[in-house]
Amino acid sequence: MGYIVIFMNHAERSLPRIQQERWLFPDQAIKEDYQAVYKEGNTLLGWPDGATRIFEHLVREKSVAIIGAELGDEGKGRIVDNKIEGLLDIPGTIGVYVVRYCGGGNAGHSVEKEDIKLALHQLPSGVLYAEVIGIMDAGMAVHVGNLREEVEMVEAKVGDTRGKLVLAENAILTTDLEEAEEILNRVLQGRAKGGTGYGIAPSYAHRLDRLGLSVDDLIANDWEKKFKDHYDRYELYFRAFGLNLADIEIPDFKETNSQKRAVSRTVGSREEFLSRTAVLRDWLISRDMVKNTFLLHQGLIRDLRYGLLFEGSQAIGLHPYLGTYPDVTSSDTSITGITTSTKVFKPSDIRDRIGVFKITYTSSVGARHLPTEVPLPKNLNDLPADASTQQLWAAWVRKTAHEYGTTTGRPRDILRLDLPLLQYNCNVGGIEVLAGTHLDIAQEDQPIQVCTHYRDSAGKTVSYQPGLKYQENVTPVFIELPGWDGQAVAQAKNVDELPENAVKFLAFIQRRTGFPIIAATTGPARKQLIAFPGYNY
Ligand code: IMP
């Protein structure tokens, strides 16, 4: 079966009918793809000739969405950074708006420029660029105390950010109380891990039950009454479990960040809570960043002087409905999150919808254990003497790619690249093309296992279905593909300089998923990115 046939189906969105058949009855199709790439050298990468873009005539020029296509931590911050540079290079562009439309402090985006390295949580990436304005939009859950600390950390390194940050007046507010609720929820659910501790799930839950606060509640003149009532309600709730709210330990993210280990503090009394809130309110008002972003977006949809970048956080695999439920986050991490957050831009307005994935492996943090995971001890020194080849490979990946959490340094789980998950996420998550990261995480003599499909207990091929319940009952089928010299990748300046097996690996993923891979990163530096033909990356 020809590649173009598959891709044209994808491009026309008439469905991947053929593609879907190929996924349901994959054995022959995998052989064909392997034969085409590894035996016949058909290594098409990037946008195929003749494929048409959907909705091309309707899109808002210079608009890009960057979305996590796996389970988070794919390197989105890095791709955002590259894309900002690309947008600024377009003649006539006077600036770029970077819009965070989901999540909150649970995100950890690392950005680098020259000697400056920043670990961002709530701030949109791009603060390192003079021409970027970052919008923390209505789809986010924002903790103002943590925001202030983040702004101060960034300003200590890059200077004043006044005028460069916008916070939506209707963004969901997270306070110490929602963080305390998350701690209680962990006990109620009997799950030690669960969420990240940033109060994300309770904050979004209270959006739905209408008990939560938003940024304009903090700015309002009657803020004190609202926050007092909020505290009192929480106190009653905790008392019902025999707990004293003031004594509940919540994460102290400032100390956690500086000490690189989990540090906590107590919620404190209502008076303490209100006086802390008053200080934060004064700070927020003094920064003059709270705006009606709906009106801003209405202007931006027509103002082509600006590039627009929608920065996703977390990933489609962590989406509350489309992801690994119950171990998922709570905001809309797919492309529709842009609509619900901005209330102006719909998916078809956005020109480039880029899914980011890790090329040679996948990482995951949380309680979830997926069938593609390679079991590893927390501390790599505890790796057993009889560790399997896969465990040695996963340990090497964790160490080499530094797969430890941005804030706490918590080790991440290492999984094999999961093509069914990747393809599913792209299909339902509104992705059009893929950008891969970490192409340099490979070794010459070390084959790479890739999950091509799943089988049930009777050995029947089953399609990927989101949710841990379904994932627990399937067995992944792996193909082993040849590795390559990661150091050579790190040196490569263009596709011709990449090791042949790296190109073949990418081409195989492109054929299997049906989504064009338009770029791959070859190392941590901004310049270490190779764009593939046919797409104006
Ligand atoms: P929450 O978003 O804090 O409620 O966490 C729920 C789940 O999502 C946990 O498994 C987290 O580890 C995961 N999660 C949330 N944000 C991220 C992220 O930015 N990267 C990776 N995992 C995340």
Side-chain angles (χ1 to χ4, degrees):
M1 187 171 306
Y3 174 83
I4 293 296
V5 175
I6 306 162
F7 183 71
M8 289 303 278
N9 273 308
H10 157 60
E12 290 160 7
R13 288 293 194 277
S14 62
L15 150 214
R17 192 180 61 78
I18 296 174
Q19 180 73 319
Q20 221 170 46
E21 281 169 12
R22 287 166 59 83
W23 277 87
L24 282 175
F25 311 103
D27 292 345
Q28 183 56 26
I30 292 166
K31 272 193 209 126
E32 283 172 13
D33 285 340
Y34 185 86
Q35 173 79 15
V37 175
Y38 285 89
K39 303 285 185 220
E40 293 160 19
N42 183 352
T43 53
L44 178 62
L45 280 176
W47 195 261
D49 280 350
T52 48
R53 310 279 303 266
I54 50 168
F55 303 125
E56 183 108 54
H57 56 296
L58 294 176
V59 298
R60 195 278 194 192
E61 279 307 309
K62 297 196 270 195
S63 61
V64 187
I66 309 278
I67 298 179
E70 293 170 316
L71 301 166
D73 308 313
E74 299 91 347
K76 294 178 287 295
R78 161 66 195 286
I79 299 292
V80 167
D81 207 45
N82 283 110
K83 248 346 238 183
I84 292 172
E85 214 164 56
L87 287 167
L88 286 170
D89 281 348
I90 301 174
T93 308
I94 60 169
V96 175
Y97 278 85
V98 178
V99 184
R100 270 281 306 269
Y101 61 91
C102 61
N106 52 350
H109 294 167
S110 316
V111 288
E112 281 186 50
K113 188 180 177 191
E114 284 127 32
D115 294 343
I116 306 170
K117 270 192 192 169
L118 297 176
L120 302 177
H121 296 280
Q122 303 188 89
L123 291 181
S125 296
V127 281
L128 288 171
Y129 289 87
E131 308 88 337
V132 166
I133 295 176
I135 302 180
M136 289 164 278
D137 207 34
M140 282 187 75
V142 173
H143 187 294
V144 179
N146 295 338
L147 177 65
R148 179 183 179 174
E149 272 149 26
E150 201 172 326
V151 168
E152 285 171 356
M153 177 275 291
V154 166
E155 294 195 339
K157 293 192 179 182
V158 305
D160 202 349
T161 58
R162 267 167 221 272
K164 281 170 62 67
L165 296 175
V166 175
L167 173 60
E169 63 185 15
N170 50 349
I172 296 160
L173 208 61
T174 298
T175 70
D176 295 353
L177 307 182
E178 283 78 10
E179 288 185 0
E181 189 179 355
E182 178 170 349
I183 305 295
L184 175 59
N185 287 350
R186 281 185 197 167
V187 179
L188 297 179
Q189 291 168 352
R191 308 177 95 216
K193 273 176 158 185
T196 53
Y198 283 89
I200 297 297
S203 304
Y204 284 101
H206 295 319
R207 173 78 185 180
L208 300 188
D209 66 17
R210 299 172 291 276
L211 285 174
L213 299 172
S214 53
V215 170
D216 45 13
D217 290 320
L218 180 60
I219 300 296
N221 291 334
D222 63 346
W223 73 273
E224 201 160 355
K225 175 165 183 350
K226 287 185 171 156
F227 280 72
K228 183 177 154 298
D229 290 349
H230 202 55
Y231 189 98
D232 289 350
R233 205 164 39 236
Y234 267 95
E235 196 169 40
L236 270 180
Y237 182 66
F238 274 78
R239 208 177 294 150
F241 292 98
L243 297 166
N244 183 14
L245 174 60
D247 298 335
I248 301 295
E249 300 254 344
I250 54 172
D252 181 333
F253 288 106
K254 186 175 187 184
E255 285 305 307
T256 299
N257 271 324
S258 70
Q259 297 186 32
K260 285 279 168 220
R261 65 182 183 91
V263 183
S264 59
R265 62 179 167 85
T266 52
V267 171
S269 66
R270 186 175 78 192
E271 286 59 43
E272 285 166 329
F273 173 70
L274 288 176
S275 78
R276 277 202 307 274
T277 307
V279 172
L280 294 176
R281 178 175 184 270
D282 288 348
W283 174 80
L284 192 58
I285 292 172
S286 77
R287 300 291 305 201
D288 192 26
M289 64 165 93
V290 178
K291 302 264 164 6
N292 179 333
T293 53
F294 175 79
L295 299 177
L296 190 57
H297 294 309
Q298 274 198 325
L300 282 176
I301 201 162
R302 283 175 214 94
D303 190 346
L304 298 182
R305 294 172 305 159
Y306 290 95
L308 258 180
L309 204 148
F310 297 97
E311 178 182 24
S313 66
Q314 290 79 44
I316 299 157
L318 296 179
H319 188 281
Y321 296 96
L322 307 173
T324 52
Y325 187 84
D327 197 23
V328 290
T329 192
S330 315
S331 62
D332 187 351
T333 52
S334 75
I335 197 145
T336 50
I338 297 173
T339 309
T340 47
S341 179
T342 63
K343 300 163 188 72
V344 171
F345 291 92
K346 57 191 181 300
S348 56
D349 291 328
I350 298 158
R351 187 174 186 281
D352 295 338
R353 298 186 300 268
I354 303 172
V356 184
F357 76 109
K358 278 175 169 153
I359 297 166
T360 56
Y361 65 99
T362 307
S363 67
S364 162
V365 274
R368 83 188 69 76
H369 289 290
L370 295 171
T372 47
E373 182 180 330
V374 183
L376 278 185
K378 263 196 168 43
N379 186 337
L380 292 182
N381 293 330
D382 298 335
L383 205 62
D386 60 348
S388 67
T389 318
Q390 282 308 301
Q391 283 178 308
L392 292 173
W393 167 79
W396 177 83
V397 169
R398 184 189 278 168
K399 223 165 102 193
T400 314
H402 198 72
E403 287 296 347
Y404 296 90
T406 313
T407 308
T408 56
R410 212 167 41 153
R412 295 180 183 143
D413 296 329
I414 305 297
L415 293 67
R416 271 67 65 98
L417 172 64
D418 187 334
L419 291 180
L421 171 129
L422 180 61
Q423 199 212 27
Y424 174 83
N425 287 352
C426 292
N427 274 341
V428 296
I431 298 238
E432 186 182 47
V433 292
L434 286 168
T437 61
H438 298 76
L439 186 60
D440 56 323
I441 304 300
Q443 292 163 287
E444 182 77 65
D445 301 319
Q446 174 69 56
I448 302 169
Q449 286 196 347
V450 173
C451 169
T452 50
H453 55 298
Y454 287 104
R455 294 214 172 108
D456 64 13
S457 53
K460 195 170 141 259
T461 296
V462 286
S463 57
Y464 175 85
Q465 184 167 349
L468 288 182
K469 177 179 147 195
Y470 304 102
Q471 290 292 293
E472 272 159 11
N473 295 315
V474 295
T475 308
V477 181
F478 296 108
I479 190 170
E480 231 169 48
L481 300 174
W484 56 86
D485 177 2
Q487 299 295 320
V489 165
Q491 307 295 324
K493 306 263 174 313
N494 53 53
V495 65
D496 297 332
E497 289 177 19
L498 285 175
E500 197 183 329
N501 278 334
V503 174
K504 286 183 171 167
F505 190 89
L506 287 166
F508 186 74
I509 300 172
Q510 172 157 333
R511 285 182 76 94
R512 285 270 77 222
T513 58
F515 287 89
I517 300 175
I518 56 157
T521 67
T522 56
R526 191 179 268 182
K527 288 211 158 22
Q528 288 178 296
L529 179 140
I530 295 176
F532 301 124
Y535 195 83
N536 188 13
Y537 178 73

